[in-house]
Amino acid sequence: MSVLVSLNGRRRIYEVKGDVAVVRINDPNSKVNTLSIQMQKEMAEVMDEVWANDAVKSAVLISSKPGCFIAGADINMIQSCNSADEVTTLSQEGQKMFERIEKSPKPIVAAINGSCLGGGLEFAIACQYRIATKSKKTVLGTPEVMLGLLPGAGGTQRLPKMVGLPSAFDMMLTGRNIRADKAKKMGLVNQLVDPLGPGLKSPEERTIDYLEEVAIEYARGIVNKKIPIRKEKEIQDYVMSFEFVRNQIYKTVHSKVMKQSKGLYPAPLKIIECVKTGVEQGPVAGYLSESQNFGQLARTSESGALIGLYHGQVACKKNHYGVPQREVKTLAILGAGLMGAGVAQVTVDKGVHTVLKDTTVSGLARGEQQVYKGLNDKTKKRNITSFQRDSILSGLTGQLDYSGFEKVDMVIEAVFEDIHIKHAVLKEVEAVVSPHCIFASNTSALPIKDIAAASKRPDKVIGMHYFSPVDKMQLLEIITTDQTSKDTTASAVAVGLKQGKVIIVVGDGPGFYTTRCLAPMLAEAVRVLQEGVDPKKLDALTTSFGFPVGAATLADEVGIDVAAHVAEDLGKAFGSRFGGGNVEVLKTMVDLGFKGRKSGKGCYIYQPGLKTKEVNPDIGDVLEQFRMTPNPAVSSDSDVQYRLVSRFVNEAVLCLQEGILKNPLEGDIGAVFGLGFPPCLGGPFRFVDSFGADKLVEKMRRFEAVYGNQFTPCQLLLDHAKDSSKKFHK
Amino acid sequence: MSSMLLSTIPQVSSSLSESYCLTLLSVQTKSKKTLARPGVKNVVLVEGVRTPFLLSGTTGLLQRTGLPKDAVDYIIYGTVIQEVKTTSILRHNINQRTLGAGFSDKIPAHTVTMACISSNQAMTSGVGLIAAGQCDSIVAGGVEFMSDVPIRHSRKMRKTMLSLSRAKTLGQRLGLIGSIRMAHLSPELPAVAEFSTAETMGHSADRLAAAFGVSRVEQDEFAVRSHTLAKKAQDAGLLQDVISFKVPGRDIVSKDNGIRVSSMEQMGKLKAAFIKPHGTVTAANSSFLTDGASAVLIMSEEKALAMGYKPKAYLRDFVYVSQDPKDQLLLGPTYGTPKVLERAGLTMSDIDVFEFHEAFAGQIMANLKAMDSDWFGQTYLGKKSKVGTPPMEKFNLWGGSLSLGHPFGATGCRLVTTVAHRLQKEGGQYGLLAACAAGGQGHAMVIEAYPQ
């Protein structure tokens, strides 16, 4: 017997196979399934029919979309609410619906292929049984915390019961994705199904069919009591039955969260509260706490900032410049240093033939070793097999000359930051490559048009500014000059997207966008040090504002020599506005060999194997030479924080004013993903919106009175301060 | 390891009447009369033998040849899992086996390995040597000793042991010995797993069967068919390539001991062996790994005739193919069959005898479905439509690896010999054999009956 019931919108079809109802989820308007109000309504209707149909003994819930079960709740649905109560009501409706699923008299098997996240996971864990494919695309998780929210449809209550307190906290507080095999070990899914290769249909289609066939078998097995659905009591459950054990866990988790978030993120604390309430006071209190906290969190500025970043990230993972005429099949990288090898790693592992060229055998060997190590680390973490590692590495060619460059489609240079060297390299490359080849410079501060001045084909010259370490940092800043062709830009963006990057495309100028924002903040940091603030204190002030890395540590990471170089270059280009700290401080440190982490000494001393780092004792003498007297009127902890941040923010706004930035969104994404601007603030532009341009200008005027034009607010910022209705983000 | 020589090579008989030959040719409606090509040497199969494929116990190679002691130019053997003491030093090994029986110690020999098609590779290497004019007669074969596979120490232990042999002082030695932990002691067992994917073959076969929607019942039915046909062939005395072999310390074994005709009900009771619990591949619908050895004598046609032999068949075109070792591991026959037919200028309907290596019933059914699918033909084989399937009344009529067993290295020669014998028995002209192998490789060969 097979009955097809199509519903309004044809979003879900339910079909009866024998005595099993197969409910297929398929949002017709989107590539992914999300839990929207509409979908919840339809789902409730379908389930009512399933429960009312006497021919049906059990049900299978499956998505027809390849690579996606349910990707989560519809964020817009939450954002369009006008009050916390409204969001709480949404949460309660979700809770009620999943409660009915949980109490279903007919067993429901969730057949999961592809992403099963957030609300999707909460749906799945309300079902009686879960089967997941071992496909790479199958991931389970509760990423709500990354949006400043919590799992608001019963997740905080069901997860601890299902996987135990420690795992539940780990999932909900990190929001990380869990692969199917791990989920099986944790008890999150009951059974695994192998993805299939090509047969009489494409692998994707056939795998979904197979998953459905297997799920139907299990659904029948559950009805026939051949397959048990209750999990056995484990030792962990016994241990958790002691209140003092549980209290110890709450305490540990709480202190860990406070240490990592500095208390700047409310969501993790609320998650702990909801779980605790549910476990200690019972489900009624637990579910109530969950829905109320969900409502409150949805209205916080932190959640708004994080959701903004999420949308921005999605927007910056698209190519807005069209499809390039030629696909880059062979990419060459000049310079096998930290950057060059990093770029090589993220390119070659995407299946692009990669040429890594250096001038010395030792430099090349070091670079190739870095790529090997990067991939081998993935093997150790079992992300890839050793066979995949070796097969990826076979796509990497290391060489010392330009042989074969006529076949290269794009060259990315990562040689020393010196315009003369860049020119020499550009000319060498143009002499050997074919005319379609694009030349990209991975410079962090030199204007691209100055580099392109030496080119025969300036339309093929572009900037691709990567961030170190390349395999970890998500951002790629692409810099176009007036002469860069649209196709060149499209091609650079396509390569960046293939490398897995979040991309902003900015205009040309000294320091472009990111370096230009960072430089004034670092100049201010040097001044703060000169005024007698200890590097550790400086780091604490910046991290407690929400920066993931303190300013002194950041300088060490970037490299004191690079910072000195950039400060000098940009100082020349922008004049006294980029002053503050004395560049000589940095130069003296470089002369003493304190180049930062890479040389083992900078603001701190780095010893291999040691996690804690001590302040470099010799730096005191250097700072003593350049000692400045702090002005108590602008030197409170809070003032120091705002001195650092306001210079960053003002420069970012100026970049938008000057047209370096196309929009505030890319500005926020660049600052957060490239420079570690506090994610809870959502980026410099969202920060101005939520903090208030007028309040910021007021602070800056106070600093301006002491230090001068370094704190003069730019015109655009003043405009926003004057008119509070002006916002960067609507 | 004992050795035997063969005594009964049929001599060329001149008693065949010409009229019989003509009648035989007139009934054939082949697209080609013969696959002989000008300028290409005809290579013939003179004889093929094998030991019974045994579920357990040890084994030896036996040869049934009345060959003069120095008439063999070269010996090539296929083997998969190499145990130095039993197979690897094959030159030595073969001589040990053959010297007593009359083979000269002047005959060079080497081993080849290509997983389940190792002895196919041995034969085709021999064909190459003959075609190139390097040799005129070759003994090719395959041998597998599943009951004596080498088990290696763990890499850590090997490293420690090697360092130990280089250690100079007692202190160094004690230090090394002291570094041995429990983890060092766990051995590395050889598994029938893919190097590139670490997936066992049975697991892959189960996924392949699922990909082509092959049901458990279809698989069990095919397995029962294989056992039934093997039993019939054995009872009818058709498996004339089998020669008796004395297992040291035990009785003489003279027939395959893995043939077990079961009822569908019995088959249905078995649990899935690889994908538990919902898989469809079971122990009963998979081929079983056994000890076994097989050998063929192949020669240039002139040489065979000059020596007074009556060849059994011509070894004609052959191909090797390779595809994705993960999802298409066992689809070798689907890729190899159309390719070898094209090379030979034949069509599926020209073939009278099909012998496919039966790794798993699910694998055979999946291959048949792939060859019957327009979508698969278009998407993966680059054809306009499907390849077409061999008719079952011509397919593996004397059983196959499912029922006779599958000693990795030795199966290929069995397939060739079976095709030749079936062509003789059934009076067909062309036979085709195909096999899949680890690494996503495959092989197919066209064999032409020698005019009777």
Side-chain angles (χ1 to χ4, degrees), chain A residues 422-487:
Chain A
K422 303 260 185 203
H423 279 170
V425 162
L426 173 62
K427 283 177 186 159
E428 282 171 22
V429 166
E430 286 192 348
V432 288
V433 296
S434 53
H436 77 272
C437 179
I438 292 166
F439 183 90
S441 172
N442 174 47
T443 173
S444 51
L446 295 172
I448 302 301
K449 63 175 180 297
D450 294 357
I451 295 173
S455 170
K456 285 186 285 184
R457 297 186 284 268
D459 59 314
K460 296 283 180 195
V461 179
I462 195 164
M464 288 174 85
H465 179 202
Y466 292 87
F467 294 77
S468 189
V470 182
D471 59 328
K472 303 262 166 17
M473 296 295 282
Q474 287 194 57
L475 191 72
L476 168 63
E477 183 180 31
I478 288 179
I479 305 103
T480 59
T481 69
D482 299 341
Q483 289 175 292
T484 309
S485 75
K486 196 184 160 202
D487 187 61

Side-chain angles (χ1 to χ4, degrees), chain B residues 396-415:
Chain B
N396 292 13
L397 291 187
W398 294 357
S401 303
L402 285 170
S403 43
L404 302 172
H406 175 37
F408 285 138
T411 294
C413 289
R414 178 184 66 73
L415 291 172

Side-chain angles (χ1 to χ4, degrees), chain B residues 247-268:
Chain B
V247 179
R250 293 201 206 164
D251 285 340
I252 290 175
V253 180
S254 50
K255 57 181 194 176
D256 302 303
N257 68 359
I259 305 174
R260 269 156 219 185
V261 183
S262 317
S263 68
M264 281 299 287
E265 197 197 351
Q266 287 168 315
M267 297 289 287

Side-chain angles (χ1 to χ4, degrees), chain A residues 314-625:
Chain A
V314 172
C316 293
K317 284 219 169 219
K318 287 187 184 139
N319 195 340
H320 304 282
Y321 298 84
V323 179
Q325 283 165 18
R326 267 171 187 270
E327 190 192 344
V328 173
K329 288 187 177 143
T330 302
L331 188 138
I333 295 150
L334 308 181
L338 210 59
M339 272 289 181
V343 177
Q345 187 192 324
V346 299
T347 313
V348 74
D349 70 0
K350 309 300 183 305
V352 179
H353 177 220
T354 307
V355 178
L356 188 58
K357 183 195 170 300
D358 204 282
T359 48
T360 65
V361 174
S362 59
L364 184 61
R366 196 218 63 81
E368 287 188 292
Q369 177 60 26
Q370 184 188 326
V371 178
Y372 173 81
K373 190 180 174 296
L375 293 171
N376 197 40
D377 288 349
K378 283 191 178 180
T379 311
K380 281 184 190 157
K381 285 184 198 152
R382 303 200 173 192
N383 288 337
I384 55 172
T385 65
S386 58
F387 177 80
Q388 284 170 316
R389 175 199 65 201
D390 296 345
S391 132
I392 289 168
L393 280 171
S394 69
L396 181 72
T397 313
Q399 58 189 56
L400 298 170
D401 56 18
Y402 286 102
S403 61
F405 266 56
E406 67 280 359
K407 289 194 186 114
V408 167
D409 303 304
M410 180 184 279
V411 173
I412 299 178
E413 67 79 14
V415 301
F416 190 71
E417 292 272 80
D418 180 305
I419 190 76
H420 303 295
I421 296 176
K422 303 260 185 203
H423 279 170
V425 162
L426 173 62
K427 283 177 186 159
E428 282 171 22
V429 166
E430 286 192 348
V432 288
V433 296
S434 53
H436 77 272
C437 179
I438 292 166
F439 183 90
S441 172
N442 174 47
T443 173
S444 51
L446 295 172
I448 302 301
K449 63 175 180 297
D450 294 357
I451 295 173
S455 170
K456 285 186 285 184
R457 297 186 284 268
D459 59 314
K460 296 283 180 195
V461 179
I462 195 164
M464 288 174 85
H465 179 202
Y466 292 87
F467 294 77
S468 189
V470 182
D471 59 328
K472 303 262 166 17
M473 296 295 282
Q474 287 194 57
L475 191 72
L476 168 63
E477 183 180 31
I478 288 179
I479 305 103
T480 59
T481 69
D482 299 341
Q483 289 175 292
T484 309
S485 75
K486 196 184 160 202
D487 187 61
T488 300
T489 312
S491 194
V493 173
V495 166
L497 288 177
K498 196 176 251 182
Q499 291 167 334
K501 297 293 166 194
V502 169
I503 296 168
I504 62 171
V505 179
V506 303
D508 193 21
F512 329 121
Y513 168 62
T514 51
T515 309
R516 192 171 149 183
C517 290
L518 187 62
M521 183 168 124
L522 281 183
E524 195 60 28
V526 172
R527 169 154 58 200
V528 171
L529 290 174
Q530 283 176 269
E531 288 179 350
V533 174
D534 171 78
K536 276 208 164 159
K537 168 87 177 171
L538 173 63
D539 272 356
L541 287 174
T542 27
T543 52
S544 66
F545 198 80
F547 283 90
V549 176
T553 308
L554 184 64
D556 276 0
E557 293 289 340
V558 171
I560 304 294
D561 52 339
V562 176
H565 208 81
V566 168
E568 211 172 18
D569 275 5
L570 295 190
K572 273 181 209 154
F574 294 107
S576 58
R577 185 157 53 85
F578 272 55
N582 193 335
V583 182
E584 292 305 316
V585 175
L586 299 172
K587 284 186 166 177
T588 313
M589 282 175 73
V590 174
D591 291 344
L592 290 170
F594 305 155
K595 291 183 184 172
R597 177 187 276 278
K598 58 190 166 191
S599 65
K601 275 183 183 180
C603 296
Y604 293 96
I605 292 180
Y606 299 89
Q607 280 164 316
L610 274 185
K611 280 206 166 168
T612 52
K613 50 185 198 284
E614 291 305 317
V615 173
N616 182 354
D618 300 327
I619 200 177
D621 298 339
V622 179
L623 292 172
E624 201 52 50
Q625 285 176 45

Side-chain angles (χ1 to χ4, degrees), chain B residues 158-218:
Chain B
R158 297 202 304 269
K159 207 173 162 187
T160 313
M161 287 161 86
L162 288 172
S163 314
L164 206 55
S165 67
R166 284 194 298 270
K168 289 193 179 67
T169 65
L170 183 65
Q172 283 175 346
R173 281 193 199 110
L174 287 176
L176 281 164
I177 292 167
S179 72
I180 296 172
R181 298 280 173 275
M182 278 309 282
H184 285 62
L185 299 174
S186 58
E188 279 179 8
L189 288 164
V192 190
E194 268 303 291
F195 161 70
S196 55
T197 59
E199 184 183 26
T200 63
M201 207 170 262
H203 197 276
S204 190
D206 205 320
R207 288 198 303 112
L208 185 75
F212 284 94
V214 180
S215 70
R216 167 74 184 267
V217 172
E218 282 176 284

Side-chain angles (χ1 to χ4, degrees), chain B residues 56-99:
Chain B
S56 60
T58 175
T59 184
L61 169 72
L62 158 127
Q63 294 160 351
R64 189 195 289 177
T65 163
L67 206 59
K69 58 176 103 178
D70 53 355
V72 172
D73 299 326
Y74 205 97
I75 303 173
I76 309 172
Y77 259 67
T79 187
V80 179
I81 302 175
Q82 301 208 342
E83 162 57 41
V84 174
K85 283 188 185 130
T86 48
T87 63
S88 181
I89 307 177
L90 209 81
R91 170 71 174 75
H92 172 68
N93 190 21
I94 290 167
N95 283 346
Q96 226 182 21
R97 264 183 223 144
T98 53
L99 280 174

